[in-house]
Amino acid sequence: MAKHVGVKLPDDLLAFLKSERALAILATFSEKGLPHTTPIQCVYPKGTESILMSIHKDHTGYHNMVWQKKVMLCFLGAHNVAYSVLGRAGVVRAPSLVHPLMNIVRIDIVDIKSDRSILARVDAGVQWNYISPEAEELTVALMDELKELARTL
C-alpha cells in the first residue's frame, strides 16, 4: 500500500541517490497523452527537495518533460528502497558542460510516496554496469557536473 512521505527525500532514498548507483525510471506523457518511460542513470539530489538529472536533448522523455513539466521518477534499491517521486521539471543547463547532447534538468519535488509492499521487499533493485571505459568516463563526468550543480545552483 502506498504511503505519502511528503516533499522531502527520506534518508534512505537520499543515501541511495548519493551512492551514484541509483537508476530512476522517468515517466512522462506526450502532448497526445501517450505514456513514456525512460531509465535515467545520472541522478543526484539537490538538497532534500529537488533532484538533478542528465538526459539526452533528443530523447522523447526530455521533450515530454519540457512540454508538460510534470514527471514521475520511480526508484527501487537495496534495503527496501521503493519510492515514486512526483515533480515539476525545469531545464537548468542546456547543453551540459560535459557533453553537447546532454541537458541538465532539475526536478522540484511535489510529492513522494513510499511504494514498499507489505508482502515483499526490494533486496537489490535495479543493478547496472558500464558498457565500456568511455561510457564510465562520460557517466562519471556527468555525475560530477550534477554534484557541482547541487552545491552551487
Side-chain angles (χ1 to χ4, degrees), residues 19-37:
S19 77
E20 300 180 34
R21 297 299 296 172
L23 186 129
I25 302 300
L26 169 69
T28 61
F29 282 93
S30 74
E31 292 181 50
K32 295 179 180 179
L34 298 173
H36 188 271
T37 58

Side-chain angles (χ1 to χ4, degrees), residues 43 104 126:
V43 291
I104 308 297
V126 178

